[in-house]
Amino acid sequence: FYTMLERLGSIYTENGENKKAFTVYTRLLRESPNRPNNPSIAAKLVNLYDVLSDVDNAVASLKMMQKTYIGNGAWVVANSRDKQAVKEANETVEKNLHRYGALFHSRGQKAKNAKLMGSAATVYTYYLESYPNTKTAYEIRYYLAEILFDFKKYETAADNYIIVSRDKDNSKYRKSAALDAVVSMNTKVEATKFPKLPPAGQVSAPIPIPAVKKKLVGVIDNYVSLLPKEKDGHPMRFTAAQTYFDYGHYDDAMDRYG
């Protein structure tokens, strides 16, 4: 019965009867949640939501696919003996997370649409949660960092830039990611108000360095470590040393100045 119902859904889709196809596909997933072919049905649902420009439900369906059809999801447990089905489900989820993240990103850039860009970031995050070590993950993480920076989520952007910069197997974005991590944290520091410090060189006892400034020093150290010959590392080193000096960590500051 459900096989016939699935065929009916495909006919509706081919004829452009999207609402009828939607009704069929949701019924399939609801009434027979462990059918081996359900990951592809779920992907068809995502496509229908996309055709209907329902981005929120498309994203929610992608999350459902991630939770259900890979890892220790209920469908995976129920179909654990069918190794081929499990393998194909994993491929389907990865392909769709990549596809729709990239689609929303491209559309968001062209239309300068913040909602689409936010949806792209969400789907990219889902991808990286489940597939952090694929070749595709390298570029996806860089794109995610770019979106996060534009959304003024500077610390999270820096975290992702750092991971990209340290990738041992890829160097395409090494310099730009390392630099953008510094730019992200510097922007965060400049936008943050800090308590007034004593005059330079007159700190009687070391003052704890605020976490956000320590993180700036950390991303500077990362840049200098990865790209020791780059000239723009010199003023960065000075900034890191000056941070320690301003807070009375004179020995550490001198080591850095040297």
Side-chain angles (χ1 to χ4, degrees):
F1 170 73
Y2 289 117
T3 300
M4 293 177 62
L5 201 60
E6 183 177 342
R7 289 175 183 169
L8 179 61
S10 296
I11 292 170
Y12 284 145
T13 301
E14 290 170 6
N15 292 336
E17 299 179 86
N18 294 324
K19 290 186 178 180
K20 290 182 179 179
F22 175 84
T23 299
V24 169
Y25 291 147
T26 52
R27 179 182 176 184
L28 277 169
L29 296 180
R30 182 179 65 253
E31 293 184 4
S32 186
N34 295 324
R35 289 179 71 245
N37 202 38
N38 276 6
S40 66
I41 298 300
K44 290 178 180 179
L45 261 182
V46 175
N47 182 65
L48 284 174
Y49 281 127
D50 185 48
V51 169
L52 296 169
S53 298
D54 188 344
V55 176
D56 289 341
N57 273 316
V59 172
S61 294
L62 288 165
K63 182 62 177 177
M64 181 278 289
M65 290 178 68
Q66 180 200 31
K67 290 176 63 178
T68 306
Y69 302 127
I70 60 176
N72 295 314
W75 180 92
V76 179
V77 174
N79 289 275
S80 58
R81 293 184 179 181
D82 191 340
K83 303 300 182 184
Q84 185 61 29
V86 171
K87 178 176 179 292
E88 290 176 359
N90 185 71
E91 292 170 351
T92 296
V93 173
E94 180 184 1
K95 181 177 73 174
N96 280 273
L97 290 175
H98 181 198
R99 178 189 177 195
Y100 287 100
L103 273 176
F104 296 152
H105 191 180
S106 176
R107 292 171 185 168
Q109 285 180 316
K110 290 178 180 178
K112 296 182 179 179
N113 185 307
K115 179 178 175 61
L116 283 170
M117 295 297 283
S119 297
T122 298
V123 177
Y124 282 158
T125 300
Y126 295 162
Y127 184 98
L128 293 169
E129 287 171 351
S130 298
Y131 306 100
N133 300 313
T134 65
K135 291 182 179 179
T136 305
Y138 177 75
E139 298 219 0
I140 285 178
R141 191 177 296 280
Y142 185 75
Y143 298 151
L144 173 61
E146 298 277 89
I147 297 172
L148 292 170
F149 183 90
D150 289 342
F151 275 49
K152 299 183 179 181
K153 296 182 179 181
Y154 298 119
E155 290 195 66
T156 311
D159 292 339
N160 283 281
Y161 280 132
I162 286 290
I163 294 172
V164 173
S165 72
R166 292 177 178 173
D167 193 300
K168 295 180 180 179
D169 299 319
N170 297 281
S171 60
K172 180 179 179 180
Y173 297 118
R174 181 165 297 153
K175 181 178 178 180
S176 59
L179 180 60
D180 288 339
V182 176
V183 172
S184 296
M185 289 313 304
N186 190 59
T187 304
K188 177 68 175 179
V189 167
E190 290 180 345
T192 304
K193 291 185 177 181
F194 301 98
K196 188 176 180 180
L197 293 169
Q202 298 181 33
V203 180
S204 58
I207 300 170
I209 300 172
V212 68
K213 288 193 175 185
K214 288 196 80 169
K215 191 165 183 176
L216 172 59
V217 171
V219 295
I220 287 173
D221 289 345
N222 179 71
Y223 184 92
V224 171
S225 174
L226 291 173
L227 302 156
K229 296 181 180 180
E230 293 294 331
K231 292 182 179 179
D232 49 9
H234 298 306
M236 293 183 196
R237 290 189 185 96
F238 181 85
T239 296
Q242 190 66 39
T243 300
Y244 276 89
F245 187 85
D246 289 344
Y247 285 85
H249 299 255
Y250 296 126
D251 290 341
D252 291 326
M254 290 303 107
D255 289 342
R256 288 175 173 273
Y257 282 130

